[in-house]
Amino acid sequence: MKAKYLIKQACIMLIFMCFIACNNSKIKKENIGLKNAATFPIGTAINISTLLNDAKLQKLQIENFNSITATSDMKMHAILPAENKYNWKTADTILSYAKKHKQRLFGHNLIWHSSTPKWVSEKGEKDSVWLDDFMQQYIKTYVNRYKGKVAAWDVVNEAFESSGGNYRESFWYKNLGKSYIEKAFRYAHEADPNAVLFYNDFNIERDTVKLNAVLDMVNEFKAKEVPISGIGFQMHIRMDIPDEIIAYSLKKAAATGLQIHLSEVDIIFNTHNDERLGGIQNYSVLRDEMKQAQAEKYKNLIRMYKEIVPKEQQFGVTFWDFTDRDSWIKGFFNMKDWPCIYNDSLQPKPAYYGVLDGLLQ
Ligand code: G3I
């Protein structure tokens, strides 16, 4: 009887010790900070005013990240809202935050159909010669102002249709033809020859037709000596996108020899049609097993990046907002979801530890 009692007590003690050890390792791991566990830069995209007005968010941002991207504040509509009225204030604030906390500043973005101000599209539609010249002036003025300060740029964002291999019939394409893309790279390079210049797009990790079209463009650029230095995989992925396809796509892109940036990482459970308000709410509650599965998915993503992309091409991994509270997903697709590594209360999710495990492996 006594022996039985002692065994039971020993078991309880063992479980208790395991629990403590487990918790301690979580605490220790959390204290490491993602950036210190990584062999490449770890970034986050963020809204600077949200960041500066939230001390807790800022603490987490500083602990975990050594690269920063503006979610919206460095796009054309923010930088040049009206003709000849450059607004550098917010970009300067981001730059001084980056400098103060020794973070790499990533420039997102120079040319994107979605952030073209109305005054530019109205004028450009009527006069493509003006538009061509405007694009050159804009890129050179902007890149030159932050020369040596912005380490890298998404020079052109999303120039291909959401799915398939066609160039996007955007305002820029319609008025300047596809050559606007290579011109944008040349202008950016002329303004800052040391900046790392990216083409950035979404769905290229899952849509192989789209990926092939982007890679054809990259190869064409290389043959014509267009100064492109990297490919940005936005990596807004979904739980059911097979890891095998992601691995295949990363391998194919890495074979170009260019820098590879996972530039806008988040992982959703629900689905959408890529359009604003196009969400489909399959899951409205986040259950524990979903959290664990998301942690595994994050871990695998990091692991694939480390294993497939050669070290010298690992430009880094950037999370697109890092809290469920601030993520763009809910507002944009009008659906509830939990795409990030921190939750609504700014607590680390299992996903956070998934990333950390992936980095530490
Ligand atoms: O700043 C105004 C604020 O004054 C106003 O009260 C509020 C009301 O709607 O809107 C605020 O602006 C919003 C802005 O984000 C800043 O939060 C815009 O409406 C909103 O459209 C804008 O959305 C951004 C979107 O790009 C369009 O620029 C998202 O935050 C940003 O996460 C998203 O990022 C894109 C990448 O650049 C490219 N890849 C896809 C990714 C997600 O859509």
Side-chain angles (χ1 to χ4, degrees):
M1 193 65 182
K2 198 173 175 198
K4 241 186 179 177
Y5 173 79
L6 283 176
I7 290 171
K8 195 175 162 196
Q9 286 300 98
C11 284
I12 291 172
M13 187 59 96
L14 198 66
I15 291 169
F16 180 70
M17 281 165 67
C18 281
F19 177 77
I20 297 281
C22 221
N23 263 350
N24 271 346
S25 80
K26 266 197 176 170
I27 290 164
K28 269 192 213 140
K29 269 189 185 175
E30 193 186 337
N31 286 342
I32 292 175
L34 298 179
K35 65 181 182 187
N36 301 314
T39 49
F40 43 78
I42 299 287
T44 183
I46 204 147
N47 177 302
I48 192 73
S49 81
T50 310
L51 183 63
L52 295 181
N53 288 313
D54 185 334
K56 184 167 180 196
L57 190 72
Q58 220 180 108
K59 182 172 178 290
L60 297 174
Q61 201 279 338
I62 294 163
E63 275 169 11
N64 283 298
F65 303 102
N66 49 15
S67 178
I68 188 166
T69 303
T71 43
S72 278
D73 296 324
M74 289 177 71
K75 292 170 182 169
M76 192 186 280
H77 63 69
I79 296 293
L80 195 52
E83 192 160 11
N84 298 323
K85 297 237 163 12
Y86 278 95
N87 173 17
W88 306 116
K89 200 165 166 259
T90 315
D92 285 351
T93 306
I94 302 166
L95 176 63
S96 66
Y97 179 91
K99 266 192 186 160
K100 183 170 169 199
H101 300 292
K102 300 190 174 51
Q103 299 186 12
R104 175 177 78 184
L105 178 54
F106 188 88
H108 175 81
N109 50 48
L110 294 173
I111 302 292
W112 184 32
H113 64 280
S114 258
S115 60
T116 309
K118 203 160 168 238
W119 76 266
V120 173
S121 50
E122 281 174 359
K123 209 166 164 173
E125 260 157 26
K126 291 187 202 124
D127 187 348
S128 59
V129 175
W130 173 84
L131 183 64
D132 208 350
D133 184 56
F134 163 77
M135 185 175 85
Q136 170 160 202
Q137 295 311 321
Y138 175 76
I139 292 178
K140 288 190 173 168
T141 307
Y142 192 4
V143 175
N144 184 49
R145 187 168 200 280
Y146 293 102
K147 185 176 178 174
K149 293 169 182 154
V150 168
W153 293 93
D154 282 333
V155 176
V156 177
N157 195 40
E158 303 174 9
F160 285 81
E161 295 290 356
S162 299
S163 64
N166 293 330
Y167 282 95
R168 188 181 288 277
E169 296 272 335
S170 69
F171 155 78
W172 295 94
Y173 181 87
K174 281 190 208 144
N175 292 288
L176 298 179
K178 72 168 188 170
S179 67
Y180 83 91
I181 307 173
E182 60 177 89
K183 283 182 181 169
F185 278 88
R186 290 194 196 281
Y187 299 151
H189 185 68
E190 280 169 34
D192 184 355
N194 292 323
V196 189
L197 304 181
F198 282 85
Y199 174 74
N200 190 49
D201 214 327
F202 63 93
N203 285 356
I204 52 175
E205 75 291 341
R206 73 187 80 162
D207 181 340
T208 48
V209 178
K210 181 166 179 173
L211 175 68
N212 287 342
V214 169
L215 295 181
D216 284 349
M217 178 188 76
V218 166
N219 289 329
E220 191 187 315
F221 281 8
K222 284 165 82 179
K224 289 158 84 175
E225 298 188 342
V226 177
I228 184 169
S229 18
I231 301 171
F233 280 76
Q234 293 189 4
M235 214 53 93
H236 293 292
I237 56 174
R238 228 173 39 215
M239 287 298 295
D240 61 355
I241 304 299
D243 287 347
E244 294 72 21
I245 294 185
I246 298 175
Y248 168 86
S249 303
L250 285 176
K251 196 169 173 193
K252 230 177 155 185
T256 60
L258 295 188
Q259 294 291 302
I260 304 292
H261 184 202
L262 305 192
S263 56
E264 306 187 12
V265 176
D266 50 27
I267 307 183
I268 60 167
F269 294 89
N270 290 293
T271 51
H272 59 72
N273 63 2
D274 286 313
E275 303 289 329
R276 200 176 270 272
L277 306 183
I280 302 157
Q281 190 82 58
N282 304 309
Y283 302 90
S284 45
V285 177
L286 179 64
R287 292 193 306 275
D288 277 348
E289 65 271 22
M290 290 162 68
K291 291 183 195 166
Q292 297 308 328
Q294 190 187 43
E296 198 60 26
K297 191 88 181 159
Y298 264 111
K299 181 166 129 188
N300 287 343
L301 183 64
I302 300 292
R303 196 179 43 75
M304 287 188 287
Y305 184 71
K306 283 171 64 176
E307 285 173 10
I308 296 168
V309 178
K311 225 173 173 14
E312 60 283 6
Q313 288 170 255
Q314 294 173 354
F315 188 77
V317 173
T318 298
F319 297 85
W320 203 250
D321 280 314
F322 65 96
T323 76
D324 288 345
R325 184 194 72 180
D326 298 333
S327 168
W328 64 288
I329 295 281
K330 291 178 209 177
F332 193 89
F333 295 117
N334 191 28
M335 70 180 185
K336 206 187 232 184
D337 213 295
W338 312 270
C340 299
I341 54 177
Y342 278 81
N343 69 13
D344 284 332
S345 332
L346 308 195
Q347 294 303 314
K349 292 162 63 183
Y352 177 91
Y353 298 104
V355 171
L356 204 46
D357 282 349
L359 292 172
L360 290 170
Q361 266 179 8

